[in-house]
Amino acid sequence: MIRELENLRIGITDPLLFKSSEAYKRAKNLALSSHRDVENICSSGVRTLDLDAEGRYLLSGCSDGSIYIHDIYNFTGSPSFTANSVQVIDRNHKFAHKYSTECVQWYPQDSGLFVTGSMDKSLKVWDSNRMRPVETVRFVGRIFQVHMSSKASSKCLVAVAGTESIVRLVDLTTGSCTHELRGHERAVLTCRWSPCDEFLLTTGGCDGRIIVWDARSGKSALRVLNHNNGQVTYKNKSKLKSQEVAVNGLCFTENGQNLISLGWDGRGKLWNMTSGKKEEVEFKAKPSEKSKSVQFDVAGSSRKELVFIPSDGTILVYEVQTGELVKTLRGHYNEVNSCKFNTMYQELYSGAHDRNILIWTPDLLQEAAYKDHVNLQSATTSSSTRPLCAVTQDVWSSDEEY
């Protein structure tokens, strides 16, 4: 490490390459944190997680409709820290969802606003300072997932996927539905905007298809991803399938060039978004709960990336480019529903049916760092405490001695 820092200082190593390399090493060495945790106040299983743009406030939604916000910043000066809740909407609150909160997301620009989608067929836009909804949009079917584009400049549209075969786009400014995307034949389980193109949207449904949409286009869809890598046109959409089973999870890589999909059978696939072809890479996990969306996340740069996929009570860590299983994270006692990676500190947060939110930190001498902190604190305390005799002793000299 010292040699690498010296090479960086004298200009031998590229700063961006050094940054991506170290971030990859930290993400690859994640382990359950021994000294940091999240206050366990969730009244039911944790369904969904999201982190604000500053990486400070962790937003979570539970299967009983409750919502929690935890402050994960540590200002205590000690490595041992518990992230306490700063805002709570319990299931008995008058503004709480009646049924499971399936998806939560912060407004991409700041932490003053967030949206939630629920099984009670409602999308709510919340003011995080007053913790009350400023807008509620009702739908015909239950909602499985909602998503806002992080690159939206002109209009911030919320994509809503649910039991209907129609994907609806809601404008946050007016609170009304502006688009109806028709292409799926059955319920839509997941939706995801591209991190690079604010108008590019992907959706996956129970019909086994992944459809790519352009929000500006009047056409039905741009393309349907075909797992056989055959001729992809929208005219033969009835013969096209992205996966043999329902698609219940989608996630883009950081540069937006690749898309990872997950199905009910637990098989994940890697797609090239430029060509629309399926890569010869596959990720395997245990089959997830049907009719539910699974939230997983990707970490790393374009050179090396890792994907964190929930698999029953564990989290599987795969290399995106090779499909190699790097690590298995164990710590939950029940099925894991959601993973969220913090790119600022290379930390992972996971929520599960066991009502716990766990923090996974890079296992780089964290135990030794904690012992050093304890030794430093004890040394400081002992040096600041003077013996009683030293305090009461008369140190003044007498004139008679001279």
Side-chain angles (χ1 to χ4, degrees):
M1 183 64 182
I2 301 299
R3 181 178 298 177
E4 293 176 355
L5 290 174
E6 180 64 19
N7 292 338
L8 178 66
R9 186 185 69 83
I10 62 180
I12 296 178
T13 304
D14 180 27
L16 293 178
L17 180 62
F18 175 80
K19 179 182 177 181
S20 61
S21 176
E22 288 303 312
Y24 175 78
K25 289 179 183 178
R26 289 174 61 85
K28 193 175 181 179
N29 288 278
L30 288 179
L32 184 61
S33 179
S34 304
H35 310 295
R36 295 180 56 200
D37 59 355
V38 178
E39 183 184 8
N40 186 7
I41 60 171
C42 298
S43 54
S44 63
V46 181
R47 285 289 308 154
T48 175
L49 296 172
D50 194 38
L51 200 63
D52 73 325
E54 297 179 356
R56 176 173 181 175
Y57 295 108
L58 184 65
L59 177 64
S60 59
C62 298
S63 56
D64 63 351
S66 56
I67 302 170
Y68 302 90
I69 300 178
H70 291 84
D71 187 352
I72 60 175
Y73 267 19
N74 183 4
F75 294 108
T76 63
S78 171
S80 182
F81 173 71
T82 298
N84 294 318
S85 61
V86 292
Q87 298 284 8
V88 176
I89 297 291
D90 58 31
R91 58 185 177 182
N92 297 321
H93 197 279
K94 62 179 180 179
F95 295 128
H97 286 289
K98 294 182 180 179
Y99 305 117
S100 173
T101 303
E102 289 296 300
C103 190
V104 297
Q105 186 185 4
W106 286 105
Y107 183 66
Q109 308 303 328
D110 59 58
S111 57
L113 201 72
F114 66 90
V115 297
T116 59
S118 171
M119 284 288 189
D120 62 4
K121 306 177 183 179
S122 69
L123 166 71
K124 292 187 178 183
V125 183
W126 296 78
D127 181 348
S128 59
N129 297 312
R130 299 190 301 163
M131 284 307 286
R132 61 177 56 195
V134 295
E135 190 71 50
T136 301
V137 184
R138 302 288 179 181
F139 293 89
V140 177
R142 294 172 294 173
I143 297 175
F144 292 125
Q145 196 170 70
V146 299
H147 194 245
M148 288 182 289
S149 174
S150 59
K151 296 294 181 180
S153 57
S154 56
K155 285 187 177 181
C156 190
L157 299 177
V158 183
V160 181
T163 52
E164 292 184 281
S165 61
I166 304 172
V167 180
R168 288 183 167 84
L169 305 184
V170 178
D171 188 352
L172 281 185
T173 306
T174 61
S176 60
C177 180
T178 60
H179 298 67
E180 288 188 354
L181 307 180
R182 301 174 183 267
H184 288 282
E185 296 181 351
R186 297 173 61 188
V188 185
L189 299 177
T190 179
C191 57
R192 186 70 59 172
W193 291 96
S194 169
C196 299
D197 189 342
E198 63 175 306
F199 300 107
L200 191 66
L201 175 69
T202 57
T203 59
C206 291
D207 53 6
R209 297 175 190 160
I210 301 173
I211 303 181
V212 184
W213 313 83
D214 187 345
R216 300 167 298 181
S217 175
K219 298 180 181 180
S220 298
L222 292 178
R223 62 158 62 107
V224 179
L225 301 182
N226 184 10
H227 69 100
N228 292 323
N229 285 344
Q231 184 66 29
V232 180
T233 60
Y234 199 70
K235 294 181 180 179
N236 60 348
K237 66 175 184 177
S238 60
K239 300 179 182 179
L240 295 179
K241 273 200 171 185
S242 307
Q243 298 202 182
E244 296 296 333
V245 296
V247 181
N248 65 339
L250 293 173
C251 187
F252 279 94
T253 54
E254 185 179 9
N255 56 14
Q257 295 180 359
N258 293 305
L259 176 72
I260 301 174
S261 64
L262 195 65
W264 274 353
D265 56 359
R267 292 182 179 271
K269 296 181 180 180
L270 181 66
W271 303 87
N272 187 317
M273 293 305 294
T274 303
S275 62
K277 304 290 185 180
K278 180 175 70 71
E279 303 287 353
E280 297 300 324
V281 176
E282 192 174 81
F283 316 101
K284 295 182 180 179
K286 289 187 178 180
S288 57
E289 182 183 352
K290 291 187 176 182
S291 73
K292 295 282 187 178
S293 62
V294 177
Q295 297 181 18
F296 58 99
D297 210 352
V298 176
S301 63
S302 58
R303 292 181 178 89
K304 284 187 176 181
E305 293 169 310
L306 298 173
V307 56
F308 304 94
I309 302 178
S311 178
D312 198 20
T314 63
I315 302 171
L316 303 180
V317 185
Y318 283 97
E319 278 195 3
V320 173
Q321 284 75 15
T322 63
E324 176 188 357
L325 179 62
V326 175
K327 204 170 189 179
T328 301
L329 304 179
R330 294 181 173 87
H332 285 286
Y333 300 104
N334 212 322
E335 184 177 1
V336 182
N337 298 315
S338 179
C339 295
K340 185 62 181 178
F341 188 77
N342 188 341
T343 56
M344 188 175 298
Y345 299 105
Q346 288 79 50
E347 297 176 346
L348 181 71
Y349 312 102
S350 60
H353 278 318
D354 58 7
R355 301 188 298 175
N356 290 320
I357 300 175
L358 300 184
I359 302 178
W360 308 84
T361 55
D363 188 18
L364 300 174
L365 302 178
Q366 59 174 325
E367 196 67 35
Y370 180 73
K371 290 181 180 179
D372 291 342
H373 171 77
V374 173
N375 294 334
L376 180 62
Q377 289 293 103
S378 60
T380 304
T381 304
S382 60
S383 62
S384 61
T385 305
R386 297 178 59 186
L388 182 61
C389 60
V391 176
T392 58
Q393 184 179 2
D394 185 6
V395 296
W396 294 95
S397 61
S398 175
D399 293 339
E400 298 178 354
E401 297 178 2
Y402 299 97

